[in-house]
Amino acid sequence: MTNRLSIVVVEEDKSRSDLIVDSLRAAGDFDIVVISERTSLARRISERGPDIVLIDISNPSRDMLEELTIASGPLERPVAMFVDRSENSLTRAAIEAGVSAYVVDGLQADRLKPILDAAMTRFQMFRRMRTELEATKRALEERKVIDRAKGLLMKAKGISEEEAYALLRRTAMDQNRKVAQVAEALVTTAGLLS
Amino acid sequence: MNTLHLSVGFIPLVDAAPLIVAHEMGFAESEGLSLDLVRAPSWSTVRDMLAFGRVEAAHMLAPVPIARAIGLGGGGPSFDAVSVLSVNGTVIGANLDLAARVRDNGGDFADAAATGRALIAASQGRLRIGVPFPFSMHAELLYYWLSALGLPAPQEVDIRTVPPPLMAEAIRAGDIDAFCVGEPWGSIAVEGGVGELLLPGAAIWQFAPEKVLAVRSDWAAEEVVPRDRLIRAVWRAGRWLADPSSHTTAAEILSRPEYLNLPAEVIDRALCGRLTVTGRGEVREVARFMEFHEGAATFPWRSQAAWIGRQLSARMGLDRAEAVDAARGVFRTDYYRQALRGASADLPGASEKVEGSLSAPTAVGSESGQLVLLPDTFFDRRIFDLDAQK
């Protein structure tokens, strides 16, 4: 009989599940299975009979797992969300990171910790990547607007690109606004007047 | 009055309306509350957000706080239901084949007994029915209905959890044969051409508490001011929603991307009680399909909680008397009364009633005179008398 913990990771996105599996392997020697289909989720999981199920908190299929926790017999097992309540800080961190663990069988909290830690690291990394991507997109859009505003100023006032940018910057500082906001206002106004 | 900020979790359903309306129509603001509505993807998420303090209050299935109180459905802090948010509002439907057979066997949208018998007769093998959550009125109504008609439930029927937005997909994929779900998700299955509606939940129990306003018990005990303000804001929102002239506006608000993100026309069906039940456009009117106010709809009757506790404990093999007792304590008539006294709300004199005993609108004694309660019978005319349970 093997002493390895069995973990099911419920994740539709392949690249994401790959990363989670990698980080779990780095955290310990576990028996890991990934389920990517959302139909009949409860049946697929109960066939595996894992010790732990890891699922994204924002996954709507999560409610399907509630069946598992009562199917194993109410009150008999410490079937818990996340970890037991004494590990409150860990639970909060898990909620913030977007990972939820279902302990399908009675389990010591100290065995769960490295798994949750590893999963949380990955989830957080994904969130950071998403935020960075959005910031980059926004920066690109702002740049586009600023370029258009510079062009408008150069044409209207017969000044150089550098002077146009300096004018935008100075106006922004005077009004305590961002250069992109001033540029946006200028482009919108020019659009209305044309 | 200083403004207090509260985060409130909700699931995209028509019956989240009292919370959304309280925020959008200024009922929260006039009580000195600023609400941050947090949309959640699943009931387990709402429950956890409430348990771990991410939100102070939540739109919740009436049986969830009760299940917690009797030791089911995960540990953690206990919840109080400080108000009912809505009565009724669920609908039972089936895939097109099964729905046609139910009709051939004498199914009738207004008759729970006829439709139930027809459904049992029409099922080929073990019926697989989807519900949104293991602890839900959807599950309780199904178990009650099918058992009463001679199909031992849960033993002889397969009740499966399927999140409401995935219900139509589960029917299409053949994972389930039928469903009981909150609107607009039944109508969405009809719109998608994969299912038909067979029966409104109200045909099984005419006055079933569906969603509650849930808070953590320790929060409710300590944060009296925001608790009372929230109960009042939600009560005023429910009163506004009960006015038929509000339905169009309410449907438009709910349809916004940050709330349900679905067409207003589909949402309007539940609010008006005019449901399109088949892909051929057949319409059925249901009186009090979803009630937010009339007949003291939001009063958290302890007897309603007791009924849920009795059903849950019987099915799960727990001690019934203990469960009924624990359940009664979850519906906080005391907090509700305290918040609404003086808010022009008329409050029932009693906190418990004999569930299933009112077959017609009935005037009862209230704190300021008389209050009309609405019919609350079960389809099989059984009554649930709390005193007889003790």
Side-chain angles (χ1 to χ4, degrees), chain B residues 231-249:
Chain B
I231 294 172
R232 280 194 295 272
V234 165
W235 179 81
R236 290 185 207 284
R239 188 173 55 170
W240 181 83
L241 275 164
D243 181 347
S245 67
S246 305
H247 291 164
T248 308
T249 312

mmCIF file of all heavy atoms in Angstrom, chain B residues 231-249:
data_model
loop_
_atom_site.group_PDB
_atom_site.id
_atom_site.type_symbol
_atom_site.label_atom_id
_atom_site.label_comp_id
_atom_site.label_asym_id
_atom_site.label_seq_id
_atom_site.Cartn_x
_atom_site.Cartn_y
_atom_site.Cartn_z
ATOM 1 N N ILE B 231 -31.281 45.051 7.221
ATOM 2 C CA ILE B 231 -32.604 44.400 7.204
ATOM 3 C C ILE B 231 -33.650 45.379 6.656
ATOM 4 O O ILE B 231 -34.472 45.027 5.817
ATOM 5 C CB ILE B 231 -32.999 43.918 8.622
ATOM 6 C CG1 ILE B 231 -32.061 42.802 9.089
ATOM 7 C CG2 ILE B 231 -34.452 43.438 8.646
ATOM 8 C CD1 ILE B 231 -32.256 42.389 10.542
ATOM 9 N N ARG B 232 -33.577 46.637 7.116
ATOM 10 C CA ARG B 232 -34.556 47.631 6.657
ATOM 11 C C ARG B 232 -34.388 47.948 5.169
ATOM 12 O O ARG B 232 -35.366 48.039 4.428
ATOM 13 C CB ARG B 232 -34.429 48.925 7.475
ATOM 14 C CG ARG B 232 -35.114 48.860 8.832
ATOM 15 C CD ARG B 232 -35.262 50.253 9.434
ATOM 16 N NE ARG B 232 -33.980 50.867 9.744
ATOM 17 C CZ ARG B 232 -33.320 50.720 10.891
ATOM 18 N NH1 ARG B 232 -33.839 49.974 11.841
ATOM 19 N NH2 ARG B 232 -32.157 51.305 11.097
ATOM 20 N N ALA B 233 -33.152 48.124 4.746
ATOM 21 C CA ALA B 233 -32.910 48.470 3.333
ATOM 22 C C ALA B 233 -33.442 47.367 2.418
ATOM 23 O O ALA B 233 -34.076 47.640 1.392
ATOM 24 C CB ALA B 233 -31.415 48.677 3.098
ATOM 25 N N VAL B 234 -33.213 46.128 2.816
ATOM 26 C CA VAL B 234 -33.649 45.001 1.998
ATOM 27 C C VAL B 234 -35.178 44.868 2.031
ATOM 28 O O VAL B 234 -35.813 44.559 1.025
ATOM 29 C CB VAL B 234 -32.942 43.706 2.485
ATOM 30 C CG1 VAL B 234 -33.614 42.478 1.929
ATOM 31 C CG2 VAL B 234 -31.467 43.747 2.091
ATOM 32 N N TRP B 235 -35.775 45.164 3.185
ATOM 33 C CA TRP B 235 -37.242 45.115 3.291
ATOM 34 C C TRP B 235 -37.873 46.166 2.372
ATOM 35 O O TRP B 235 -38.819 45.894 1.632
ATOM 36 C CB TRP B 235 -37.660 45.350 4.747
ATOM 37 C CG TRP B 235 -39.143 45.336 4.936
ATOM 38 C CD1 TRP B 235 -39.931 44.223 5.060
ATOM 39 C CD2 TRP B 235 -40.017 46.470 5.013
ATOM 40 N NE1 TRP B 235 -41.244 44.601 5.207
ATOM 41 C CE2 TRP B 235 -41.327 45.973 5.180
ATOM 42 C CE3 TRP B 235 -39.816 47.849 4.964
ATOM 43 C CZ2 TRP B 235 -42.437 46.813 5.301
ATOM 44 C CZ3 TRP B 235 -40.911 48.694 5.071
ATOM 45 C CH2 TRP B 235 -42.212 48.167 5.245
ATOM 46 N N ARG B 236 -37.296 47.374 2.364
ATOM 47 C CA ARG B 236 -37.822 48.435 1.495
ATOM 48 C C ARG B 236 -37.646 48.066 0.021
ATOM 49 O O ARG B 236 -38.507 48.341 -0.810
ATOM 50 C CB ARG B 236 -37.122 49.766 1.778
ATOM 51 C CG ARG B 236 -37.504 50.357 3.116
ATOM 52 C CD ARG B 236 -36.891 51.744 3.310
ATOM 53 N NE ARG B 236 -36.700 52.047 4.714
ATOM 54 C CZ ARG B 236 -37.675 52.383 5.547
ATOM 55 N NH1 ARG B 236 -38.913 52.453 5.101
ATOM 56 N NH2 ARG B 236 -37.415 52.635 6.818
ATOM 57 N N ALA B 237 -36.520 47.451 -0.292
ATOM 58 C CA ALA B 237 -36.284 47.025 -1.675
ATOM 59 C C ALA B 237 -37.318 45.970 -2.079
ATOM 60 O O ALA B 237 -37.840 45.991 -3.198
ATOM 61 C CB ALA B 237 -34.868 46.473 -1.822
ATOM 62 N N GLY B 238 -37.640 45.053 -1.164
ATOM 63 C CA GLY B 238 -38.630 44.010 -1.452
ATOM 64 C C GLY B 238 -40.005 44.604 -1.686
ATOM 65 O O GLY B 238 -40.746 44.175 -2.569
ATOM 66 N N ARG B 239 -40.342 45.635 -0.894
ATOM 67 C CA ARG B 239 -41.642 46.280 -1.051
ATOM 68 C C ARG B 239 -41.730 46.962 -2.424
ATOM 69 O O ARG B 239 -42.735 46.888 -3.110
ATOM 70 C CB ARG B 239 -41.856 47.311 0.067
ATOM 71 C CG ARG B 239 -43.263 47.885 0.077
ATOM 72 C CD ARG B 239 -43.485 48.757 1.278
ATOM 73 N NE ARG B 239 -42.485 49.822 1.372
ATOM 74 C CZ ARG B 239 -42.567 50.841 2.230
ATOM 75 N NH1 ARG B 239 -43.581 50.911 3.062
ATOM 76 N NH2 ARG B 239 -41.626 51.757 2.276
ATOM 77 N N TRP B 240 -40.645 47.598 -2.821
ATOM 78 C CA TRP B 240 -40.607 48.233 -4.138
ATOM 79 C C TRP B 240 -40.746 47.182 -5.248
ATOM 80 O O TRP B 240 -41.481 47.363 -6.217
ATOM 81 C CB TRP B 240 -39.281 48.999 -4.289
ATOM 82 C CG TRP B 240 -39.129 49.723 -5.585
ATOM 83 C CD1 TRP B 240 -39.617 50.960 -5.900
ATOM 84 C CD2 TRP B 240 -38.431 49.264 -6.765
ATOM 85 N NE1 TRP B 240 -39.270 51.288 -7.191
ATOM 86 C CE2 TRP B 240 -38.549 50.270 -7.740
ATOM 87 C CE3 TRP B 240 -37.732 48.095 -7.069
ATOM 88 C CZ2 TRP B 240 -37.988 50.150 -9.012
ATOM 89 C CZ3 TRP B 240 -37.167 47.960 -8.334
ATOM 90 C CH2 TRP B 240 -37.285 48.985 -9.287
ATOM 91 N N LEU B 241 -40.061 46.055 -5.067
ATOM 92 C CA LEU B 241 -40.097 44.991 -6.082
ATOM 93 C C LEU B 241 -41.481 44.372 -6.223
ATOM 94 O O LEU B 241 -41.833 43.855 -7.279
ATOM 95 C CB LEU B 241 -39.096 43.887 -5.708
ATOM 96 C CG LEU B 241 -37.656 44.095 -6.135
ATOM 97 C CD1 LEU B 241 -36.745 43.142 -5.370
ATOM 98 C CD2 LEU B 241 -37.504 43.857 -7.638
ATOM 99 N N ALA B 242 -42.254 44.384 -5.139
ATOM 100 C CA ALA B 242 -43.575 43.752 -5.171
ATOM 101 C C ALA B 242 -44.572 44.586 -5.970
ATOM 102 O O ALA B 242 -45.633 44.085 -6.342
ATOM 103 C CB ALA B 242 -44.082 43.545 -3.751
ATOM 104 N N ASP B 243 -44.250 45.830 -6.241
ATOM 105 C CA ASP B 243 -45.138 46.690 -7.025
ATOM 106 C C ASP B 243 -44.962 46.349 -8.513
ATOM 107 O O ASP B 243 -43.865 46.493 -9.048
ATOM 108 C CB ASP B 243 -44.744 48.156 -6.759
ATOM 109 C CG ASP B 243 -45.633 49.134 -7.513
ATOM 110 O OD1 ASP B 243 -46.382 48.690 -8.419
ATOM 111 O OD2 ASP B 243 -45.567 50.328 -7.199
ATOM 112 N N PRO B 244 -46.034 45.900 -9.186
ATOM 113 C CA PRO B 244 -45.902 45.487 -10.590
ATOM 114 C C PRO B 244 -45.296 46.576 -11.478
ATOM 115 O O PRO B 244 -44.621 46.278 -12.458
ATOM 116 C CB PRO B 244 -47.339 45.183 -11.014
ATOM 117 C CG PRO B 244 -48.036 44.832 -9.742
ATOM 118 C CD PRO B 244 -47.392 45.676 -8.668
ATOM 119 N N SER B 245 -45.500 47.851 -11.097
ATOM 120 C CA SER B 245 -44.952 48.904 -11.959
ATOM 121 C C SER B 245 -43.431 49.002 -11.846
ATOM 122 O O SER B 245 -42.793 49.739 -12.593
ATOM 123 C CB SER B 245 -45.598 50.256 -11.617
ATOM 124 O OG SER B 245 -45.197 50.662 -10.329
ATOM 125 N N SER B 246 -42.837 48.262 -10.925
ATOM 126 C CA SER B 246 -41.372 48.269 -10.798
ATOM 127 C C SER B 246 -40.703 47.201 -11.658
ATOM 128 O O SER B 246 -39.479 47.215 -11.813
ATOM 129 C CB SER B 246 -40.967 48.000 -9.338
ATOM 130 O OG SER B 246 -41.569 48.898 -8.458
ATOM 131 N N HIS B 247 -41.501 46.256 -12.172
ATOM 132 C CA HIS B 247 -40.887 45.082 -12.814
ATOM 133 C C HIS B 247 -39.974 45.403 -13.988
ATOM 134 O O HIS B 247 -38.890 44.836 -14.118
ATOM 135 C CB HIS B 247 -41.975 44.084 -13.247
ATOM 136 C CG HIS B 247 -42.636 43.432 -12.073
ATOM 137 N ND1 HIS B 247 -43.836 42.763 -12.159
ATOM 138 C CD2 HIS B 247 -42.267 43.348 -10.780
ATOM 139 C CE1 HIS B 247 -44.177 42.311 -10.974
ATOM 140 N NE2 HIS B 247 -43.241 42.656 -10.114
ATOM 141 N N THR B 248 -40.426 46.352 -14.842
ATOM 142 C CA THR B 248 -39.616 46.658 -16.027
ATOM 143 C C THR B 248 -38.263 47.250 -15.620
ATOM 144 O O THR B 248 -37.214 46.834 -16.109
ATOM 145 C CB THR B 248 -40.361 47.658 -16.937
ATOM 146 O OG1 THR B 248 -41.665 47.121 -17.176
ATOM 147 C CG2 THR B 248 -39.652 47.850 -18.247
ATOM 148 N N THR B 249 -38.318 48.198 -14.682
ATOM 149 C CA THR B 249 -37.068 48.814 -14.215
ATOM 150 C C THR B 249 -36.171 47.768 -13.553
ATOM 151 O O THR B 249 -34.969 47.716 -13.806
ATOM 152 C CB THR B 249 -37.382 49.925 -13.189
ATOM 153 O OG1 THR B 249 -38.417 50.750 -13.715
ATOM 154 C CG2 THR B 249 -36.161 50.745 -12.879
#
